[in-house]
Amino acid sequence: MSLLNISELKKSFLSPGGEAHAVVDVPSFSLGEKEQVALSGESGSGKTTFLNLIAGIIRADSGSIRIGETELTSLKESKRDRVRASEIGYIFQTFNLLQGFTCLENVLLGMSFGAKADRDVAKKLLERVGLSDRMSHFPRQLSTGQQQRVAVARALASRPRLVLADEPTGNLDHQNARDALALIRETCDETGAALLLVSHDRAVLEAFEVCRDLKEINIARREEAAV
Amino acid sequence: MTLWLIVRRSLRQHLLSTFITSMSIALAGGLCLSVWTIKDQANATFTGVDSGFDAVLGARGSKLQLVLNSIFHVEASAGNLAWEDYTDIKANPSVAAAVPIAVGDNFRGYRLVGVSTNLFTEIEYKPGQRFEVYGGGRVFDPSRREAVVGSFVAQKLGLGVGDTFHPYHGLIFDEKKQHAETYVVVGVLRPSNTPSDRVIWIPLAGLQRMSGHDPKTATDLSAVLVKLRSAQAGFRLDLLYNKQGNRLTMAWPIGQIMAQLFSKISWFDRVLELIAYLVAVVAVGSVLASIYNSMNERRRDIAILRALGARRRTIVGTIILETVAISAFGMVLAFGVYFAIFTLVASVIRAEMGVVLVATQWHPVMLWAPGLMIALSAVAGLVPAFKAYRTNVADHLVPVS
């Protein structure tokens, strides 16, 4: 059974000249429960926009995004926020940790807007990602690898059904990238969350059983290339 | 909990601006608290001070000047009245007690008041409270050059029982105008928190016959302090002295005369209130400016919170709560500022007028000023909150791949 079903999804932005510029045009895409899929795509291929549409951060021009039984595109922004808070975990390339908050507080914030923030759960997640001795540290006091671990713990804090990862290893060295990727996949496995990861790093993509090229899914870019 | 956590962390991240804006709120709030409490308490206290008397009889002139000179021991005397005027009013059946006083000399700027001893034996300056000599002293002997010193004077000049001094002529201290007589302090009054604390009391005859004074006026008085038997007696004496007579003035009732003074200077109260309001508005504006100017650096944090599922109204709530927290913290500090301003002003008023104002006395401004400042800050917070509300999440979650 599919967790994520996308059909006829379109999003365009206005160029400075006032012309509509299609960024996402996905006729069909689906992701099963607990499935882990990697999408390959170069910079400017619409990866982030695609993930932001799924996360409900931006609104589609048309089409359908269904997460479980919920049709995201028909929801008001506040409802989309609620779906994002409770159903979706988001891991960013630049981690996007809040610098004024400790590691533990960052993880707590990951569960604060959906369910009730549970300190014990947050601590267990940080222990799981190997940061039990860094809970009171601020992000600036951590290495980049450790920061990404906090971001992973935060993404899983609300026990989401779907984790979106946007170039999660893009800012890490080779060893840290491998560790972070393994951690993301393992923790998603453990929590039963499906994983949709986008990257242009071949080593990352090869680690997945299912890897799809975004150009095949997003025909907006294909058409643009043809032009 | 989440909102408060976000606010706390934001305040900590912007610690310097938080402190500065809180201090501006503290100064404005302290000023508001001070203006309203001091003016109202001063009004109530000055109109309530009568030192146990209902009226003052003096030479024809201003009632206010008569009260200020005789009760508050400031201002010059409007003129003298004859000893017979005192015996007349003392014999009036409407009068419960009459205390003659004479002024005209000082010691180091503190006024010497010649008075009869019934001030200490008959008069209650507050219900149930009489002027009382303490610490082993006694009331002066009217036939000797002895003095009883008010508590404030004793403290300021370091006078105690057994000390001696030479009076100076006039109400303003001039060291060239020293009288030859030597007076001995025989008692210090227990603090009464009335203008009497700022006075050196000596026998009436002593002041009247001080060397250098005109012998022709040796029995004249500056005023007679009057305690009436009833309120109706006041109307009768007012008619007798002020309306039918044209030689003397009866200042009655004392509180109403002081209230007229405050009424005349009420425009000054309104100026102070206006200044306090303006300072409050400027302080609230500084909170607005501080948070508004930090919005650019906050936008990424706001975008992250939104990406984690925070709704726009949650973000708006954190910004408004932050302005409220800054304002609330500032108002806590404002009470410290208030106590500092109040203590300073109260000490000046006590030194100049002998009237004691109490900083801890309840006033409604202590409730409405914090409420108003916090409410104004919350309203001011709407401006940066609106900017936060409009933050585009995707644009600020850089980089975009």
Side-chain angles (χ1 to χ4, degrees), chain A residues 1-3 66-71 161:
Chain A
M1 182 187 165
S2 291
L3 169 69
R66 185 172 284 274
I67 298 174
E69 296 302 312
T70 308
E71 174 54 56
R161 295 167 74 191

Side-chain angles (χ1 to χ4, degrees), chain B residues 140-300:
Chain B
F140 55 71
D141 179 341
S143 63
R144 306 174 76 161
R145 287 176 182 158
E146 292 178 344
V148 170
V149 183
S151 60
F152 187 78
V153 181
Q155 180 198 333
K156 286 293 173 187
L157 300 183
L159 288 175
V161 174
D163 290 339
T164 59
F165 65 91
H166 291 284
Y168 290 81
H169 186 66
L171 297 177
I172 297 166
F173 177 57
D174 180 349
E175 59 184 16
K176 293 176 193 158
K177 294 185 177 175
Q178 192 182 62
H179 285 296
E181 289 87 342
T182 302
Y183 275 78
V184 182
V185 176
V186 295
V188 175
L189 290 181
R190 193 178 290 284
S192 63
N193 292 338
T194 69
S196 300
D197 293 345
R198 296 175 56 255
V199 169
I200 299 171
W201 302 97
I202 64 169
L204 187 62
L207 200 128
Q208 287 171 319
R209 292 168 195 161
M210 195 81 73
S211 59
H213 287 185
D214 185 354
K216 289 182 207 162
T217 60
T219 59
D220 281 3
L221 301 169
S222 298
V224 180
L225 308 176
V226 179
K227 179 87 183 156
L228 300 172
R229 290 195 190 281
S230 65
Q232 286 75 20
F235 289 105
R236 283 197 293 275
L237 292 176
D238 182 47
L239 186 69
L240 178 68
Y241 287 105
N242 296 332
K243 297 192 170 67
Q244 294 172 347
N246 60 4
R247 196 172 54 82
L248 301 173
T249 292
M250 167 72 83
W252 173 86
I254 292 171
Q256 196 175 317
I257 290 161
M258 288 305 293
Q260 284 168 1
L261 168 66
F262 278 90
S263 173
K264 281 176 189 165
I265 59 168
S266 62
W267 62 269
F268 185 66
D269 288 349
R270 286 195 290 278
V271 169
L272 284 180
E273 286 173 14
L274 185 64
I275 291 170
Y277 278 131
L278 285 174
V279 172
V281 168
V282 170
V284 169
S286 77
V287 177
L288 189 160
S290 163
I291 295 185
Y292 191 85
N293 289 338
S294 67
M295 286 312 294
N296 282 342
E297 61 180 274
R298 289 166 187 245
R299 280 185 158 169
R300 184 175 163 84

Side-chain angles (χ1 to χ4, degrees), chain A residues 43-44 46-48 52 57-58 77-78 81-82 84-85 92-94 96-101 105 108-110 112-113 119 138 154 166-167, chain B residues 1-2 5-10 12-13 300-302 304-314 389 392-394 396-401:
Chain A
S43 285
K47 299 194 298 284
T48 299
N52 283 346
I57 290 173
I58 53 176
E77 186 186 64
S78 59
D81 292 338
R82 178 160 286 186
R84 184 164 65 254
F92 305 91
Q93 178 182 347
T94 49
N96 279 338
L97 297 177
L98 290 154
Q99 297 300 314
F101 295 72
E105 288 165 348
L108 276 168
L109 281 174
S112 293
F113 305 111
R119 216 172 176 80
F138 288 92
R154 184 181 65 182
D166 186 4
E167 297 277 11
Chain B
M1 174 266 169
T2 307
L5 172 69
I6 295 168
V7 168
R8 260 183 21 228
R9 290 293 176 255
S10 178
R12 192 175 65 182
Q13 265 185 296
R300 184 175 163 84
D301 283 3
I302 290 168
I304 294 168
L305 288 169
R306 294 272 289 111
L308 293 175
R311 283 179 247 182
R312 286 186 196 267
R313 69 177 185 217
T314 306
Y389 180 88
N392 185 311
V393 180
H396 292 90
L397 287 175
V398 288
V400 175
S401 58

